[in-house]
Amino acid sequence: MSTTEAVHLPLPRLPEGWAAEDKDFKAVGCLSAATRRNVEPVGPHFLAHARRKRHRRTFSEDERI
Amino acid sequence: MSDQAAAVASDATERCAIGISFGNSNSSIAFTSPDGKPEVIANEDGDRHIPSIISYVDGDEYHGTQAKSQIVRHPTDTVAYFRDFLGKEFKSIDPTPCHQSAHPQQHESTISFTVQEGTEGEKSTLTVSEVTTRHLRRLKNSASEYVGKEVNAAVITVPTNFTDAQRSALMEAAKGAGIEVLQFIHEPVAAVVAYDARPEAVVTDKLVVVADLGGTRSDVTVIASRGGMYTILATAHDYELGGAQLDQVLIDHFAKEFIKKHKIDPREEARSLAKLKLEAEATKKALSIGTNASLSIESLANGIDFTSNVNRLRYELLSSKVFGSFTDLIKQAVQKAELDLLDIDEIILCGGTSHTPKIARLVQSLFPETTNVLAPATSPTAIHPSDVAVRGAAIQASLIEEFEMADIEQSTHPMVTVTAHLAKAIGVQLISSDESNCIFKPLLNTETALPARRSAQYPAPKDGGDVLIRICEGTREIKVKKVEPKPKAEDEDDDEDDDDDEEDEEEEVREIAWNVSKPIAEFAIRDVKPQGKIEVMVSVNEHLAVQVTAREIGGKGGVRGAVEPPQVVENGA
C-alpha cells in the first residue's frame, strides 16, 4: 500500500548539536516483538500479499511486474 | 477430493462461480457481473433471502418461502434450521429451533430427519448432508437460471467457529449438488469485503466490529482492517440470541391479548403456535419499515379469527431486554479483543435482525460519534444487512474464479496466512501548535500484518530550516477527563506522568491519547523551505527490519536509513 496520508501537525525543529555519523541518520532502537496472527485469506489485497509471499517478492519487485 | 474437483472443472469447460451465504434461517446467492458489481439473485419466488427450508407434500419438493408456509400444515415433513447440524454428532446439537418442524434424530454418526417424501409408502430418512445437498441444488438451479449458464463453483460463507468437520461435511454436500467449493470464507470478513469493494470505498486502517444478528444465533467479530488485509482479533457468539427471540416477544404479546378476549392460549396448540409464529415474524418485519403493523390470523385457535395492531414504540418497549443483549454481546466482543469502544472506527450490522431501527440506534449510542454505524437506520449508504455477507462471497468468487484449485489451496495455507503483526504502532513524533508538546501520530498501526509499507506527508515548521524526524513506537491510552476542571489522566496499562487519583464521578470525557514508548530512529532533513512538506515512508518487513525514507517534496535527495531487526526473535519468524 503506498497511499500517502496528509498530516497537519508540524515536525519538530532539529535540536542544536544533533549529529549523526552516517548521512543524517541514526538508528536508536529496534521494534518490539511482533505477534503472530492469522490473516483472513479474502480480498484483493490479501491475494496480492499471497502472491508476493509465494514468489518471495518485495513490494517494489511486485509493482514492477 | 482433488481428482473429483478436477473432474468437475474439466467437464465444464469454464468455471462459473457464485457466492453463497448459507444460514440456519435463510440463504442467499449472488453473482458478480462482468463489470464487477455484485448482485444478489432472486429465486423463482422473487426472494433474495431464501428460507433454508425444504418441505415434502404429496411427493412434491418445496423450497424456500413455499416450504416455510408448509410448516403450519405439514410440520413433520418440513426440514428447517439444519445448517449448524452439518458435520456434528447428535449429542452435541441443540434441536430447539426444529421444535416446530421435522425433528433431528441420530443416524449412525450423523443426524437425520424422517419425512414422507413420496405420496405413499414408507417414510424416508434424509441425513442432514442430503438435505443440505438438496437445498444447495435448488439454490444452484436458481442461480444458473439467472446467470444463463450452469453454475458449477461457489465461495460459501461460514461462521468463524465452523469446525473442520463441518467444513468438510459442507464441502461434500456441495459436491453432491454439483458445486465445487472454491473457498470457505468467514461471514464477518465477507461483510467487510462487501463494503470495501464498493467503488467509492477508500482502503484505510480501521478497526471494524461486525455484528451479525441472525435468526437463531448472533455472532460479533472484531476485525483489524489494515491496508485491505483483515485479521480477526476476537469473536463472541450467542446461540440463543436472534430474531427468533424478538418473534417470541410478539408471540407472547398477541397471545396474551387473545387470552384476554377468548380465554384460550394459542401457544398451547402446535398449529396455532405455528400460525402465530409465521405472522409474528411478518409483523416484526413490518415494524422495521413502518411505525405501525397489524397482525391478522384466520382461525387462530378453536376457529376464532384474530386481528390486532401493534406500534413500534410498544414493540421496542417489550423487546428492550432482547435489544440489550445485542449491545451486551457487542461490548463483550470488544472487551475480548482488549480494546475500548473508542478504538472502533466502524460497525457493520448484518443479518436480518439488523433491520430493526432501534438496534442500530442503540449500537450507535454505545460508541462515540466518530464511529460509523453501517445499518439502514443510521447510514444512508448502508448495504441491505441481509445481503452483505453474500455480496462479499460473490466478490471473492469473482477474484479467484480463474485460479487453479492448487493455487487457492496454497494461498490459504497457514504458511501464507499466518504472519507477523505489529504489536505496537509505529509513527512520527510531531509537535502541536505551541511547539512544546510532543504528539505522536501513528503511521503503521497496531495489528498491521507484515510486511507493510505506509507513507505520509508532514508539514515542516512555518519558517523551515533543519527538521528532526523521529520514528517511534507508540502505545494507545484511554484518557479520562473531567469536563470542567484540570485534565486528569487515568492509567490503563502504561506508566504515565500526571496522575492525581481523585475518584470523582462527574461527567467524564474519555478519549484516546498516544504515548511515545520507544524511539526507533532519528534523522535530519536540512534546510527545508518555509511552508515545505516532508514525505516519510516507513516499510517494515516480516522480520521487523525497518526501512525509512524521507525527503522534502520538491527537494533533492532525501535521507534513507535502515533499522536492524531485533536480535532475539522469540515470536517472529
Side-chain angles (χ1 to χ4, degrees):
Chain A
M1 252 42 33
S2 44
T3 40
T4 307
E5 178 193 7
V7 177
H8 300 292
L9 286 169
L11 287 163
R13 232 172 264 282
L14 191 68
E16 295 278 321
W18 188 93
E21 58 278 22
D22 182 28
K23 290 181 192 157
D24 284 346
F25 181 86
K26 193 155 75 174
V28 286
C30 56
L31 296 182
S32 330
T35 45
R36 292 192 76 73
R37 287 185 189 273
N38 205 4
V39 180
E40 292 300 307
V42 182
H45 297 100
F46 170 80
L47 293 174
H49 165 83
R51 191 177 62 225
R52 284 192 296 266
K53 198 148 176 172
R54 285 170 47 207
H55 300 291
R56 299 182 182 284
R57 286 186 207 137
T58 63
F59 278 108
S60 38
E61 278 166 12
D62 196 58
E63 272 161 16
R64 250 176 269 139
I65 294 165
Chain B
M1 180 242 104
S2 54
D3 40 354
Q4 271 227 25
V8 172
S10 59
D11 280 352
T13 42
E14 210 180 318
R15 212 189 254 157
C16 179
I18 56 163
I20 298 179
S21 134
F22 171 31
N24 279 311
S25 317
N26 291 293
S27 296
S28 310
I29 39 182
F31 174 70
T32 306
S33 57
D35 59 351
K37 262 198 195 144
E39 277 175 65
V40 182
I41 301 168
N43 71 356
E44 304 77 59
D45 300 330
D47 292 322
R48 289 188 169 77
H49 314 112
I50 304 154
S52 305
I53 301 175
I54 284 212
S55 181
Y56 294 91
V57 180
D58 300 331
D60 289 326
E61 184 187 78
Y62 290 92
H63 178 239
T65 308
Q66 292 186 19
K68 192 172 187 172
S69 53
Q70 297 298 343
I71 289 186
V72 176
R73 275 203 265 169
H74 305 279
T76 52
D77 296 328
T78 304
V79 184
Y81 303 105
F82 53 87
R83 200 271 315 262
D84 279 355
F85 298 164
L86 255 182
K88 282 218 172 160
E89 288 196 29
F90 185 73
K91 53 179 185 287
S92 64
I93 62 160
D94 172 18
T96 324
C98 297
H99 198 65
Q100 284 173 326
S101 52
H103 292 193
Q105 59 216 171
Q106 183 149 18
H107 176 79
E108 288 157 21
S109 67
T110 113
I111 294 154
S112 69
F113 299 89
T114 305
V115 296
Q116 182 75 46
E117 209 185 334
T119 40
E120 51 196 58
E122 265 190 42
K123 289 195 162 204
S124 40
T125 303
L126 305 177
T127 61
V128 64
S129 63
E130 175 59 22
V131 173
T132 307
T133 300
R134 293 181 183 192
H135 171 60
L136 291 174
R137 194 179 292 137
R138 296 293 292 254
L139 292 178
K140 174 193 148 171
N141 291 345
S142 304
S144 299
E145 258 169 50
Y146 174 86
V147 177
K149 55 185 170 184
E150 171 92 359
V151 168
N152 51 21
V155 168
I156 304 182
T157 62
V158 293
T160 49
N161 57 352
F162 227 46
T163 60
D164 285 341
Q166 286 176 294
R167 279 166 214 253
S168 55
L170 182 51
M171 175 91 83
E172 280 300 311
K175 201 192 284 166
I179 299 171
E180 180 189 9
V181 179
L182 300 180
Q183 194 187 353
F184 287 119
I185 65 173
H186 289 143
E187 281 161 358
V189 182
V192 184
V193 170
Y195 272 100
D196 275 358
R198 295 188 302 174
E200 68 271 26
V202 186
V203 175
T204 48
D205 290 355
K206 57 193 173 190
L207 285 170
V208 187
V209 168
V210 180
D212 185 348
L213 315 176
T216 54
R217 61 181 276 182
S218 292
D219 306 271
V220 180
T221 313
V222 183
I223 299 174
S225 163
R226 307 287 186 222
M229 302 242 281
Y230 313 108
T231 307
I232 292 181
L233 301 179
T235 57
H237 309 276
D238 191 324
Y239 302 103
E240 261 127 54
L241 184 63
Q245 274 199 319
L246 295 171
D247 295 344
Q248 194 58 45
V249 166
L250 285 174
I251 291 172
D252 292 341
H253 168 73
F254 288 121
K256 273 178 203 150
E257 209 168 293
F258 193 79
I259 294 168
K260 222 182 268 169
K261 277 189 197 155
H262 308 288
K263 311 273 180 267
I264 308 161
D265 189 346
R267 290 170 296 185
E268 274 165 10
E269 209 214 320
R271 190 165 164 155
S272 311
L273 181 61
K275 278 185 179 176
L276 195 53
K277 188 168 163 41
L278 211 61
E279 289 304 316
E281 195 184 331
T283 307
K284 176 189 74 178
K285 285 181 181 165
L287 283 171
S288 294
I289 302 159
T291 49
N292 240 307
S294 64
L295 170 130
S296 65
I297 301 167
E298 241 173 71
S299 170
L300 175 56
N302 273 17
I304 305 166
D305 295 350
F306 179 63
T307 310
S308 180
N309 265 300
V310 65
N311 65 22
R312 195 188 272 178
L313 205 67
R314 184 70 197 267
Y315 163 65
E316 286 171 355
L317 219 65
L318 290 169
S319 34
S320 60
K321 215 175 144 193
V322 184
F323 291 162
S325 321
F326 285 115
T327 47
D328 285 347
L329 191 66
I330 293 174
K331 275 194 242 169
Q332 196 191 318
V334 174
Q335 246 166 39
K336 229 168 145 184
E338 293 172 10
L339 292 168
D340 192 275
L341 294 174
L342 289 176
D343 292 318
I344 307 302
D345 302 294
E346 201 169 278
I347 299 156
I348 296 174
L349 289 183
C350 58
T353 304
S354 310
H355 283 283
T356 315
K358 183 76 178 174
I359 293 180
R361 257 176 264 119
L362 283 173
V363 171
Q364 197 172 35
S365 62
L366 196 65
F367 289 91
E369 277 167 32
T370 47
T371 307
N372 199 4
V373 179
L374 294 164
T378 51
S379 163
T381 57
I383 300 175
H384 198 293
S386 310
D387 289 353
V388 181
V390 76
R391 276 178 177 234
I395 291 159
Q396 179 70 5
S398 74
L399 288 172
I400 60 173
E401 192 176 19
E402 312 273 294
F403 284 27
E404 298 282 329
M405 214 49 211
D407 275 344
I408 300 172
E409 268 157 34
Q410 272 183 36
S411 297
T412 52
H413 194 272
M415 280 282 284
V416 174
T417 59
V418 177
T419 29
H421 283 62
L422 285 182
K424 285 179 175 172
I426 302 173
V428 174
Q429 196 172 316
L430 304 167
I431 47 172
S432 60
S433 44
D434 61 0
E435 294 217 6
S436 56
N437 269 345
C438 283
I439 289 179
F440 175 85
K441 180 94 180 154
L443 183 54
L444 282 116
N445 219 324
T446 46
E447 309 299 353
T448 300
L450 302 176
R453 185 175 66 176
R454 296 284 187 284
S455 57
Q457 287 183 5
Y458 302 94
K462 279 195 192 74
D463 45 351
D466 295 351
V467 173
L468 172 72
I469 296 168
R470 199 154 180 242
I471 309 283
C472 326
E473 272 191 342
T475 44
R476 186 286 267 129
E477 176 195 40
I478 303 292
K479 276 205 168 143
V480 184
K481 271 192 202 164
K482 277 189 283 174
V483 173
E484 259 299 73
K486 275 185 192 166
K488 180 185 100 175
E490 213 172 74
D491 287 1
E492 236 206 1
D493 52 356
D494 221 74
D495 38 86
E496 239 291 280
D497 34 304
D498 47 348
D499 204 348
D500 24 71
D501 264 319
E502 311 157 354
E503 284 304 320
D504 270 319
E505 286 305 312
E506 275 180 65
E507 241 193 288
E508 322 174 305
V509 176
R510 306 175 74 241
E511 58 178 33
I512 289 179
W514 286 94
N515 294 319
V516 172
S517 67
K518 186 166 147 197
I520 301 298
E522 287 181 343
F523 50 96
I525 302 270
R526 310 264 176 199
D527 300 322
V528 178
K529 282 187 290 244
Q531 308 291 340
K533 277 198 170 188
I534 290 162
E535 189 179 77
V536 179
M537 186 166 92
V538 177
S539 138
V540 184
N541 82 1
E542 249 175 294
H543 310 291
L544 293 172
V546 188
Q547 279 221 328
V548 193
T549 345
R551 63 182 183 90
E552 189 187 348
I553 289 175
K556 271 186 232 158
V559 182
R560 226 169 242 286
V563 179
E564 291 295 307
Q567 285 302 308
V568 193
V569 187
E570 204 184 309
N571 225 355

